[in-house]
Amino acid sequence: MSATLTPSPFMQFFDITGVPLAGGLLYTYVANTSTPQATYTDASGTIANSNPIVLNTRGEAAVWLGMSSSYKFVLKDNAGVLIWTADNIEGLVGAADLAASTGSSLR
């Protein structure tokens, strides 16, 4: 039997004081651009999130990335104040990708 890590069902974000970012806004773009790019509510990739994604009261959202896509994330508070930007974000497709990216085995 082998096992894999579970993906986090929700991403959680915090403000600069460590409080969950309730009502925060996560914008998603094509990497290195300001062109909006869809993320999805689950692994099926059939239902797109809004863009921006509005975080729940615990600062959480279900964010699944499109396959073979590279993203830029921009996180803002509920007043639209920039918290951070991260570019060239890619998801892991499966266990083989995880092993290749870490150089380790999942056995």
Side-chain angles (χ1 to χ4, degrees):
M1 172 188 241
S2 63
T4 63
L5 294 172
T6 179
S8 176
F10 291 97
M11 295 181 73
Q12 187 174 31
F13 302 93
F14 301 90
D15 68 15
I16 60 171
T17 64
V19 174
L21 192 61
L25 305 168
L26 180 65
Y27 295 81
T28 59
Y29 303 100
V30 174
N32 300 305
T33 75
S34 58
T35 303
Q37 180 162 247
T39 60
Y40 302 93
T41 60
D42 63 24
S44 71
T46 58
I47 301 172
N49 282 312
S50 62
N51 197 355
I53 300 165
V54 180
L55 306 178
N56 69 17
T57 58
R58 295 186 313 238
E60 298 172 328
V63 182
W64 293 77
L65 305 183
M67 303 222 1
S68 303
S69 297
S70 187
Y71 288 81
K72 176 170 77 175
F73 285 179
V74 175
L75 184 66
K76 297 183 178 184
D77 68 14
N78 60 5
V81 176
L82 180 66
I83 296 175
W84 54 254
T85 298
D87 214 335
N88 297 306
I89 299 168
E90 296 180 357
L92 296 174
V93 176
D97 289 329
L98 181 59
S101 70
T102 61
S104 64
S105 172
L106 296 177
R107 292 183 230 198

